[in-house]
Amino acid sequence: MFPARAFNRALQLRDSYIAISKYIRARCSHPVPKSRRGFACQVASRNAELRGRSGETSQDDAPLEGSYQDLSTLDLNDPSPLAQYKRIFRLPRTTSNWEVWDLRPHQTSKLFGYVTSVRQGSKKLDFIDLIDPQLRKHLQLVVDEYLVGPEGRESMRRIPAHTPVIVSGQLVNRIGNKSTISPIEPEGQDQASLGLEGPNIMYYTQREEKGDGTPFSPIEEFKHDPYIGEVATISHVEMVVSSIQALNYFPGDIIAKTDTNFPPEQRHLQLRTSSNLRKTLQARSKAQTECRKYLFVKGFDEIETPILFKSTPEGAREFLVPTRQKGLAYALPQSPQQYKQILMASGISKYFQFARCFRDEDMRADRQPEFTQLDIEMSFATAEDVKKITERIIQVLWRTFFHQTIFENKIKSPKEYNMRDIPFHAPLYFPQITYDRAMTLWGSDKPDTRIGSHLLQVEDFLDSTLKSKLTPLKDPVIDLLKVSVSNPEKTRHFISTFLDKPSNAAYLENPHGVPGIFIFDTSQPMNGLSAFEHDAAERIVDLLHPQRGDLLVLQARPNQPFVGEGSTMMGNLRRDLLAALISEGIIRKPLRDEFLWVINFPLFSPTNDSDPGQGGKAGIKSTHHPFTAPKTMWDVDKLITDPLSCKADHFDLVINGVEIGGGSRRIHDSKVQEMVLRDVLKVPENHAEEFRPLLEALRAGCPPHAGIALGFDRLMAILRQSSSVRDVIAFPKSAKGEDKMVGAPSAIDAERWAGYHMAVKGGEEGVKRRTEKDELTTGSKEADQELQSIADPKLQTPGPAQPDESDITPSTPS
């Protein structure tokens, strides 16, 4: 630790000596007062004159209260903080916009910002880093003891990092920058108006201008500030300080640097010290702006829908909000699905909003209990129309963030890009694949197709003995996966540890059989495929052309149609296997992005214990939501007779193996919609009546309409190349659904529950027991490991396992 501190101190001294040299050279190379002492006397005289007019000065002319004269006597442990707090009530205005610095050299300037590091220079000079209010730019402050005095200099040295301040001083040119510097006499001002006598020391930097007339930014480079991360260095000017007023103080008991690991309870310090987190939130704002701009150009209206909704059986678990009216409660919307369809019946032809949605589901790497989706709905539109507008939005974002065109026919270069150039009626560009084919080839309805490695069904030519070793199923389908590794030693070591991880225990506990894993090695008998018959081994070699070190995996599954499930066991194994190989550097991470439409989903699926569905008595549920329209007229004919064979006019957008959004054409006829609820799903009468407002809106001549909901958090995670949506949300929830920054959800006492005509069964002790139980049984893999560790002390680990970042099987946010 000591050598690191010494090294950092050496770097600080080096920076200080360089800054001293530049400062002295700058003062010597330009017209300055006859002596530094004379300049100091002029500034001191000017300040004394201002202080002498205290009864007559305006707030603008008043000196800074709490400047360095007051800092030296400030007692941070004063039990009465009101005296210190009153000092900011006469806060002087800055000489520029409070947030955007105007850094042209002039007589005096007052700037808001944050103080970070202080570099102690020579006997008479110190240097302080001032960061702008947006934590983006860095300005060097020069503390000259001739100007501020020994006590003032010492008090400025003691200002803690992260302290918000207002600084008063003179902006002067720095030498050694690329800007052209020349002394320019300010128009319409003489020396008397500046309050100084003698030579004018004001200089302006002659800066180039961009084509739009805005000044060229003189920022030349970026530096890493040890307290806030990467900032842009302002190189053309520096400020000679006359006073600094602290507006608050950062406590000395908190160490806040970029290399400090803060817990979720201190999210504010995570954001303050991480330039990457702040850039992510800024990028999120920029992405929303670009989406809005494009949709406004295309004639969409942004309309907000209510957050307090009603409980309806749409398919996902809801959050309920009790009211003081006995027995009545709101529900937070799973999505604005019903409201946007009602808007279509209301004559709003094109709607969108960045909607907040809420679902009481188990947490995963890309799932939160509350999330944001870009909601789009269009009247007189088909599924193809919605896909087209969605592809154009994706193109806008990829051009904005990656400066690349993702369509084959490049319309224009990014610099020439105009949103009106994208033709609305152009054909679709993203490839489309049916749900059944995606499940067969990739074992997932959101496949990552960038690496290849699609599945091959090989049950027809495998030996019955090998089949019996792989699975207890009598007539199985056996999927074969080949992964190109090209190194047998690395492959053997990887496989020996991969399946032993607790997160992969499900593959060894699969009731349909454990995976069979083989390594193709030409130095082994039958190339390492001795478990196969000779004919089967030759057949596999002819089909796959494996190379030395390649990994071959067999996995059995039941021989039955796919009925709406999101993935097979082999699909999950392929996903986790490839992710682990990439993380360990055995295979390369794909650099390109691949976009895919998955279509022709089943309209209905069998019910199961894990998904509540719509609560109908037919034993089936809507695969997505009960408002999805059948795909074709033949599917309409089978609604009553064979609903499980009906295809939905639904489509999912998949990017790099992540389901970004889902949309569909909606049922716009109220009689058909009511028939689906009552006769197909057999929803109970009281549940069916919950949809009465929507049915009445559809009955009032609602036009055909379609829409989509894009998971904006997942989309931002891809744009920022992050593995978790928690990295792109300002205040994310934990794997247990908790906001640890504010301590939510929190326990409610019996008195407050009584105000809502409710009581907790078992009283407060029951609440405590259930809270402790919920903390361990939230459904995450880390919770299962914690429960196992508590049951068996031998299995305890230093800390809970992290949630599986590659687990990307959320429900569709449409």
Side-chain angles (χ1 to χ4, degrees), residues 2 25 44 73 222 294 311 344 490 495 514 539 599 607:
F2 177 75
R25 289 165 59 198
T73 61
F222 287 86
Y294 178 73
S311 178
M344 296 298 101
K490 279 188 176 181
I495 288 300
V514 298
R539 190 80 178 271
I599 60 175
T607 56

Side-chain angles (χ1 to χ4, degrees), residues 47-66:
N47 289 340
E49 180 185 353
L50 291 173
R51 287 193 294 270
R53 295 184 295 164
S54 58
E56 310 170 354
T57 50
S58 66
Q59 184 172 338
D60 243 6
D61 293 330
L64 289 176
E65 298 183 47

Side-chain angles (χ1 to χ4, degrees), residues 114 164 262 272 314 417 432 454 460 479 490 501 519 632 765 768:
Y114 295 90
F262 296 102
R272 181 178 283 196
E314 293 185 22
Y417 169 65
Q432 300 189 78
H454 64 78
D460 291 341
D479 293 319
K490 279 188 176 181
K501 295 180 179 179
I519 300 173
T632 65
E765 189 63 29
K768 182 178 179 180

Side-chain angles (χ1 to χ4, degrees), residues 671-718:
K671 294 181 180 180
V672 175
Q673 182 65 78
E674 190 165 3
M675 184 198 71
V676 168
L677 293 172
R678 296 182 185 275
D679 301 334
V680 180
L681 296 173
K682 300 187 185 303
V683 174
E685 184 67 26
N686 59 331
H687 286 184
E689 285 302 311
E690 298 293 343
F691 297 103
R692 180 56 55 189
L694 174 62
L695 295 174
E696 288 298 318
L698 298 180
R699 194 170 70 92
C702 181
H705 54 280
I708 192 171
L710 299 176
F712 199 72
D713 302 319
R714 299 179 197 167
L715 188 56
M716 284 307 307
I718 291 178

Side-chain angles (χ1 to χ4, degrees), residues 213-331:
T214 58
F216 172 77
S217 173
I219 296 172
E220 298 176 8
E221 59 185 9
F222 287 86
K223 64 168 287 186
H224 181 82
D225 188 281
Y227 294 94
I228 66 170
E230 190 179 66
V231 292
T233 299
I234 297 172
S235 59
H236 73 298
V237 293
E238 62 189 7
M239 175 179 278
V240 181
V241 176
S242 61
S243 64
I244 299 179
Q245 176 183 351
L247 306 178
N248 200 347
Y249 277 88
F250 196 83
D253 60 333
I254 298 179
I255 299 176
K257 292 188 177 183
T258 54
D259 58 352
T260 307
N261 292 323
F262 296 102
E265 291 81 0
Q266 293 179 307
R267 179 65 172 178
H268 58 295
L269 295 179
Q270 290 180 354
L271 292 170
R272 181 178 283 196
T273 57
S274 172
S275 56
N276 185 59
L277 284 176
R278 295 193 302 273
K279 288 178 180 179
T280 295
L281 297 183
Q282 294 158 7
R284 184 183 178 107
S285 175
K286 182 177 182 180
Q288 287 184 325
T289 300
E290 293 299 322
C291 292
R292 282 190 170 97
K293 284 165 58 178
Y294 178 73
L295 291 170
F296 284 145
V297 167
K298 293 303 179 183
F300 284 79
D301 298 314
E302 184 173 11
I303 301 174
E304 294 180 352
T305 55
I307 291 296
L308 293 177
F309 188 47
K310 64 181 296 185
S311 178
T312 57
E314 293 185 22
R317 292 183 178 89
E318 303 169 316
F319 288 102
L320 299 179
V321 182
T323 70
R324 290 177 295 164
Q325 296 176 281
K326 190 173 183 179
L328 300 182
Y330 294 104

Side-chain angles (χ1 to χ4, degrees), residues 435-445 455 562 565-568:
Y435 165 79
D436 288 335
R437 187 164 178 79
M439 293 292 291
T440 301
L441 291 180
W442 313 102
S444 172
D445 63 353
L455 306 181
F562 301 110
E565 61 265 30
S567 61
T568 64

